[in-house]
Amino acid sequence: MIIGLPKETKEDEYRVGLTPGSVHTLVERGHQVLVEIGAGIGSLISDQDYREAGATIVMHAADAWAAELVVKVKEPTEAEYQYLRKDLLLFAYLHLASNRILTEKLLASGISAIAYETVQVASGALPLLTPMSEVAGRMAVQIGATYLLKTQGGRGVLMGGVPGVAPANVVILGAGVVGTNAAVVATGMGAMVTVLDINHDRLKALDDRFSGRLQTRYCDAVNVRQAVYEADLVIGAVLIPGGRSPWLVTREMLPKMHAGSVIVDVAVDQGGCVETTWPTTHSHPVFEVDGVLHYCVTNMPGAVPRTSTFALNNQTISYVVCLADGGLASLQNNQALMNGLNIHHGQVMHSAVAEVFGLPYTSPLDVLVA
């Protein structure tokens, strides 16, 4: 199969879809990999690194997109819509539930699109979302600590406090991968940490893991309000696989929060779990509503691309090999990839995406087997 690796076009996105190691794996299996010139520069991967791995360097994005399978990190941007076509298989983060325009473009093109974030194994785990959730969760606390500085517009609170002075109060909404990794860093910095979730097993696991170094609370409206009103830093870490995140922090709650407190809404890719969330970029990452700073960058791990690219490829390469070897037919024997199929030949193949936009849902099993 011919596999294309275009350079990312999303603003401030420095990750790349394949490492030289992944390219070498594909080439050894008889596949051809077309890498757009400069695709890996942001992750400190040179064109020569790709050449030595067996790739062919192409001069234009259109050349990479002309492949049978395109592997990316982030969703196609407006500049890339022209490359979408019916005989193309796209493998990338898509986050369609918060992007109706992209959903409509993919449907109209007839493309087959598999989303990293909805590839789901039998246990319910999301293996291709996990590495970036680990990165984003850890980054969220570092970023929150930065914006709590008075010089950055925050409350002027030190995360770990000092002897005789209380540490920062950090509230984490969601006890999944993002929330757990945020808790690791926040407790490590000495903050007072509270994690809320509706899954009792997750709360129990955190309670056991941290041995009393954080508090866990059931995530209902009353507990969320009480926690958020006392917080210096709120981290939104709620995930509905493939679907839009629910609003746990509403607009009317903001005036009751501390002036200069900070919200880092990691759930922004799926619409955010804070009503006042709207997407920002690394160049312009924050905005203020009712005295509360909001950090809502949609590609947080893109700021640490070297770490993120290699962490992502550790998980994606086995699935890329499966698609390269067998194309769409390989989904019939790989339920995780089948779960990842969001769009196919003008039809919505993921129930959560269909529900968000009120579109008809088609079972991928029925279509692909037929």
Side-chain angles (χ1 to χ4, degrees):
M1 181 177 281
I2 301 174
I3 302 157
L5 179 63
K7 186 175 183 178
E8 296 294 321
T9 58
K10 189 180 182 73
E11 185 177 357
D12 297 322
E13 179 55 70
Y14 304 106
R15 290 172 289 180
V16 63
L18 295 171
T19 63
S22 296
V23 169
H24 182 266
T25 296
L26 292 164
V27 170
E28 284 223 314
R29 298 179 72 88
H31 304 294
Q32 181 182 4
V33 182
L34 306 177
V35 178
E36 182 184 353
I37 187 170
I41 295 300
S43 294
L44 303 180
I45 302 171
S46 69
D47 293 337
Q48 186 59 30
D49 292 332
Y50 283 121
R51 287 192 187 95
E52 291 175 358
T56 299
I57 303 299
V58 295
M59 300 305 296
H60 305 289
D63 299 325
W65 278 93
E68 299 164 88
L69 165 64
V70 165
V71 179
K72 289 180 88 287
V73 177
K74 293 301 289 181
E75 71 280 356
T77 62
E78 184 176 354
E80 296 171 309
Y81 292 165
Q82 61 184 309
Y83 304 129
L84 306 178
R85 63 183 196 276
K86 187 172 184 178
D87 61 344
L88 177 63
L89 176 56
L90 174 65
F91 195 31
Y93 287 117
L94 297 177
H95 297 290
L96 296 183
S98 61
N99 195 336
R100 182 166 197 133
I101 292 175
L102 176 60
T103 302
E104 292 173 348
K105 292 292 184 181
L106 294 174
L107 288 170
S109 72
I111 197 173
S112 298
I114 299 174
Y116 289 162
E117 73 274 7
T118 59
V119 171
Q120 189 168 25
V121 298
S123 68
L126 302 164
L128 307 190
L129 190 61
T130 295
M132 296 303 92
S133 295
E134 291 170 340
V135 171
R138 291 171 184 241
M139 285 183 66
V141 179
Q142 296 179 196
I143 290 164
T146 297
Y147 282 101
L148 276 174
L149 299 176
K150 189 68 173 178
T151 52
Q152 299 294 322
R155 297 196 71 208
V157 175
L158 183 65
M159 287 290 282
V162 293
V165 180
N169 186 334
V170 178
V171 171
I172 302 171
L173 303 175
V177 177
V178 170
T180 298
N181 279 271
V184 168
V185 175
T187 56
M189 294 179 75
M192 182 171 63
V193 180
T194 302
V195 182
L196 296 92
D197 202 292
I198 60 173
N199 186 324
H200 179 74
D201 290 337
R202 291 297 308 148
L203 296 179
K204 184 177 184 302
L206 284 178
D207 193 61
D208 292 342
R209 175 173 177 174
F210 287 91
S211 303
R213 288 183 293 130
L214 55 70
Q215 298 181 24
T216 57
R217 300 179 71 179
Y218 185 77
C219 189
D220 61 29
V222 172
N223 285 340
V224 169
R225 286 192 180 91
Q226 289 177 347
V228 166
Y229 292 163
E230 294 301 317
D232 298 303
L233 170 62
V234 176
I235 296 174
V238 177
L239 174 69
I240 305 296
R244 200 193 186 289
S245 302
W247 289 338
L248 300 186
V249 179
T250 62
R251 174 64 185 267
E252 60 91 16
M253 293 168 63
L254 297 188
K256 298 179 183 179
M257 295 177 64
H258 293 308
S261 59
V262 177
I263 293 173
V264 178
D265 196 349
V266 184
V268 61
D269 276 321
Q270 296 294 117
C273 60
V274 178
E275 184 177 0
T276 44
T277 285
W278 53 270
T280 63
T281 66
H282 290 290
S283 299
H284 301 91
V286 296
F287 59 91
E288 182 180 319
V289 179
D290 292 332
V292 178
L293 285 179
H294 292 56
Y295 179 100
C296 308
V297 174
T298 56
N299 58 330
M300 288 174 61
V304 287
R306 181 76 179 178
T307 297
S308 298
T309 289
F310 283 87
L312 180 59
N313 267 248
N314 289 343
Q315 301 300 321
T316 57
I317 184 56
S318 63
Y319 294 99
V320 175
V321 166
C322 184
L323 291 171
D325 286 352
L328 274 174
S330 64
L331 272 62
Q332 296 182 40
N333 299 311
N334 191 318
Q335 185 60 50
L337 274 175
M338 182 83 80
N339 294 336
L341 186 64
N342 279 213
I343 302 290
H344 174 64
H345 291 181
Q347 301 171 89
V348 178
M349 297 278 164
H350 196 284
S351 58
V353 176
E355 181 179 353
V356 166
F357 298 125
L359 296 171
Y361 164 69
T362 303
S363 167
L365 185 62
D366 293 344
V367 171
L368 295 179
V369 170

PDB file of all heavy atoms in Angstrom, residues 159-177:
ATOM      1  N   MET A 159       1.794  26.568  43.930  1.00  0.00           N
ATOM      2  CA  MET A 159       1.136  25.258  43.968  1.00  0.00           C
ATOM      3  C   MET A 159       1.369  24.519  45.282  1.00  0.00           C
ATOM      4  O   MET A 159       0.437  23.986  45.886  1.00  0.00           O
ATOM      5  CB  MET A 159       1.614  24.402  42.801  1.00  0.00           C
ATOM      6  CG  MET A 159       1.062  24.832  41.457  1.00  0.00           C
ATOM      7  SD  MET A 159      -0.709  24.513  41.275  1.00  0.00           S
ATOM      8  CE  MET A 159      -0.686  22.763  40.929  1.00  0.00           C
ATOM      9  N   GLY A 160       2.623  24.474  45.723  1.00  0.00           N
ATOM     10  CA  GLY A 160       2.930  23.705  46.926  1.00  0.00           C
ATOM     11  C   GLY A 160       2.904  24.496  48.210  1.00  0.00           C
ATOM     12  O   GLY A 160       3.143  23.937  49.291  1.00  0.00           O
ATOM     13  N   GLY A 161       2.596  25.794  48.114  1.00  0.00           N
ATOM     14  CA  GLY A 161       2.640  26.639  49.303  1.00  0.00           C
ATOM     15  C   GLY A 161       4.041  26.653  49.904  1.00  0.00           C
ATOM     16  O   GLY A 161       5.020  26.256  49.261  1.00  0.00           O
ATOM     17  N   VAL A 162       4.142  27.094  51.129  1.00  0.00           N
ATOM     18  CA  VAL A 162       5.387  27.048  51.904  1.00  0.00           C
ATOM     19  C   VAL A 162       4.990  26.767  53.350  1.00  0.00           C
ATOM     20  O   VAL A 162       3.804  26.846  53.696  1.00  0.00           O
ATOM     21  CB  VAL A 162       6.169  28.388  51.816  1.00  0.00           C
ATOM     22  CG1 VAL A 162       6.696  28.622  50.408  1.00  0.00           C
ATOM     23  CG2 VAL A 162       5.302  29.562  52.267  1.00  0.00           C
ATOM     24  N   PRO A 163       5.954  26.407  54.207  1.00  0.00           N
ATOM     25  CA  PRO A 163       5.588  26.153  55.605  1.00  0.00           C
ATOM     26  C   PRO A 163       4.813  27.330  56.206  1.00  0.00           C
ATOM     27  O   PRO A 163       5.239  28.485  56.120  1.00  0.00           O
ATOM     28  CB  PRO A 163       6.960  25.973  56.279  1.00  0.00           C
ATOM     29  CG  PRO A 163       7.826  25.407  55.209  1.00  0.00           C
ATOM     30  CD  PRO A 163       7.380  26.111  53.958  1.00  0.00           C
ATOM     31  N   GLY A 164       3.654  27.021  56.743  1.00  0.00           N
ATOM     32  CA  GLY A 164       2.817  28.048  57.351  1.00  0.00           C
ATOM     33  C   GLY A 164       1.813  28.673  56.418  1.00  0.00           C
ATOM     34  O   GLY A 164       0.958  29.459  56.857  1.00  0.00           O
ATOM     35  N   VAL A 165       1.896  28.345  55.116  1.00  0.00           N
ATOM     36  CA  VAL A 165       0.964  28.905  54.128  1.00  0.00           C
ATOM     37  C   VAL A 165       0.367  27.758  53.312  1.00  0.00           C
ATOM     38  O   VAL A 165       1.101  26.884  52.815  1.00  0.00           O
ATOM     39  CB  VAL A 165       1.661  29.907  53.187  1.00  0.00           C
ATOM     40  CG1 VAL A 165       0.669  30.477  52.186  1.00  0.00           C
ATOM     41  CG2 VAL A 165       2.304  31.032  53.985  1.00  0.00           C
ATOM     42  N   ALA A 166      -0.947  27.756  53.151  1.00  0.00           N
ATOM     43  CA  ALA A 166      -1.626  26.658  52.469  1.00  0.00           C
ATOM     44  C   ALA A 166      -1.211  26.545  51.006  1.00  0.00           C
ATOM     45  O   ALA A 166      -0.946  27.566  50.349  1.00  0.00           O
ATOM     46  CB  ALA A 166      -3.136  26.862  52.554  1.00  0.00           C
ATOM     47  N   PRO A 167      -1.168  25.339  50.472  1.00  0.00           N
ATOM     48  CA  PRO A 167      -0.883  25.146  49.046  1.00  0.00           C
ATOM     49  C   PRO A 167      -2.098  25.487  48.196  1.00  0.00           C
ATOM     50  O   PRO A 167      -3.178  25.789  48.716  1.00  0.00           O
ATOM     51  CB  PRO A 167      -0.563  23.656  48.963  1.00  0.00           C
ATOM     52  CG  PRO A 167      -1.389  23.040  50.053  1.00  0.00           C
ATOM     53  CD  PRO A 167      -1.393  24.064  51.172  1.00  0.00           C
ATOM     54  N   ALA A 168      -1.915  25.427  46.899  1.00  0.00           N
ATOM     55  CA  ALA A 168      -3.039  25.661  45.974  1.00  0.00           C
ATOM     56  C   ALA A 168      -4.058  24.541  46.090  1.00  0.00           C
ATOM     57  O   ALA A 168      -3.729  23.385  46.365  1.00  0.00           O
ATOM     58  CB  ALA A 168      -2.513  25.756  44.541  1.00  0.00           C
ATOM     59  N   ASN A 169      -5.308  24.911  45.850  1.00  0.00           N
ATOM     60  CA  ASN A 169      -6.411  23.949  45.844  1.00  0.00           C
ATOM     61  C   ASN A 169      -6.701  23.580  44.391  1.00  0.00           C
ATOM     62  O   ASN A 169      -7.157  24.418  43.611  1.00  0.00           O
ATOM     63  CB  ASN A 169      -7.641  24.583  46.504  1.00  0.00           C
ATOM     64  CG  ASN A 169      -8.794  23.605  46.676  1.00  0.00           C
ATOM     65  OD1 ASN A 169      -8.905  22.640  45.944  1.00  0.00           O
ATOM     66  ND2 ASN A 169      -9.656  23.881  47.637  1.00  0.00           N
ATOM     67  N   VAL A 170      -6.423  22.336  44.025  1.00  0.00           N
ATOM     68  CA  VAL A 170      -6.594  21.868  42.650  1.00  0.00           C
ATOM     69  C   VAL A 170      -7.767  20.904  42.583  1.00  0.00           C
ATOM     70  O   VAL A 170      -7.815  19.915  43.324  1.00  0.00           O
ATOM     71  CB  VAL A 170      -5.315  21.174  42.130  1.00  0.00           C
ATOM     72  CG1 VAL A 170      -5.533  20.637  40.714  1.00  0.00           C
ATOM     73  CG2 VAL A 170      -4.136  22.134  42.159  1.00  0.00           C
ATOM     74  N   VAL A 171      -8.715  21.188  41.690  1.00  0.00           N
ATOM     75  CA  VAL A 171      -9.889  20.338  41.496  1.00  0.00           C
ATOM     76  C   VAL A 171      -9.819  19.730  40.104  1.00  0.00           C
ATOM     77  O   VAL A 171      -9.662  20.439  39.110  1.00  0.00           O
ATOM     78  CB  VAL A 171     -11.190  21.149  41.663  1.00  0.00           C
ATOM     79  CG1 VAL A 171     -12.406  20.320  41.249  1.00  0.00           C
ATOM     80  CG2 VAL A 171     -11.318  21.621  43.105  1.00  0.00           C
ATOM     81  N   ILE A 172      -9.925  18.405  40.040  1.00  0.00           N
ATOM     82  CA  ILE A 172      -9.834  17.679  38.777  1.00  0.00           C
ATOM     83  C   ILE A 172     -11.185  17.016  38.511  1.00  0.00           C
ATOM     84  O   ILE A 172     -11.648  16.181  39.302  1.00  0.00           O
ATOM     85  CB  ILE A 172      -8.714  16.622  38.818  1.00  0.00           C
ATOM     86  CG1 ILE A 172      -7.372  17.305  39.126  1.00  0.00           C
ATOM     87  CG2 ILE A 172      -8.644  15.854  37.506  1.00  0.00           C
ATOM     88  CD1 ILE A 172      -6.238  16.336  39.411  1.00  0.00           C
ATOM     89  N   LEU A 173     -11.809  17.397  37.404  1.00  0.00           N
ATOM     90  CA  LEU A 173     -13.117  16.852  37.035  1.00  0.00           C
ATOM     91  C   LEU A 173     -12.901  15.682  36.084  1.00  0.00           C
ATOM     92  O   LEU A 173     -12.639  15.862  34.900  1.00  0.00           O
ATOM     93  CB  LEU A 173     -13.971  17.934  36.379  1.00  0.00           C
ATOM     94  CG  LEU A 173     -14.188  19.199  37.210  1.00  0.00           C
ATOM     95  CD1 LEU A 173     -14.944  20.246  36.400  1.00  0.00           C
ATOM     96  CD2 LEU A 173     -14.945  18.871  38.497  1.00  0.00           C
ATOM     97  N   GLY A 174     -12.960  14.468  36.606  1.00  0.00           N
ATOM     98  CA  GLY A 174     -12.739  13.270  35.812  1.00  0.00           C
ATOM     99  C   GLY A 174     -11.544  12.490  36.324  1.00  0.00           C
ATOM    100  O   GLY A 174     -10.469  13.059  36.536  1.00  0.00           O
ATOM    101  N   ALA A 175     -11.726  11.185  36.510  1.00  0.00           N
ATOM    102  CA  ALA A 175     -10.674  10.340  37.089  1.00  0.00           C
ATOM    103  C   ALA A 175     -10.136   9.331  36.082  1.00  0.00           C
ATOM    104  O   ALA A 175      -9.660   8.263  36.465  1.00  0.00           O
ATOM    105  CB  ALA A 175     -11.205   9.603  38.330  1.00  0.00           C
ATOM    106  N   GLY A 176     -10.210   9.688  34.792  1.00  0.00           N
ATOM    107  CA  GLY A 176      -9.654   8.813  33.764  1.00  0.00           C
ATOM    108  C   GLY A 176      -8.162   9.023  33.606  1.00  0.00           C
ATOM    109  O   GLY A 176      -7.467   9.408  34.553  1.00  0.00           O
ATOM    110  N   VAL A 177      -7.656   8.816  32.407  1.00  0.00           N
ATOM    111  CA  VAL A 177      -6.222   8.915  32.167  1.00  0.00           C
ATOM    112  C   VAL A 177      -5.735  10.347  32.378  1.00  0.00           C
ATOM    113  O   VAL A 177      -4.714  10.582  33.028  1.00  0.00           O
ATOM    114  CB  VAL A 177      -5.872   8.427  30.751  1.00  0.00           C
ATOM    115  CG1 VAL A 177      -4.377   8.598  30.478  1.00  0.00           C
ATOM    116  CG2 VAL A 177      -6.274   6.971  30.571  1.00  0.00           C
TER     117      VAL A 177
END
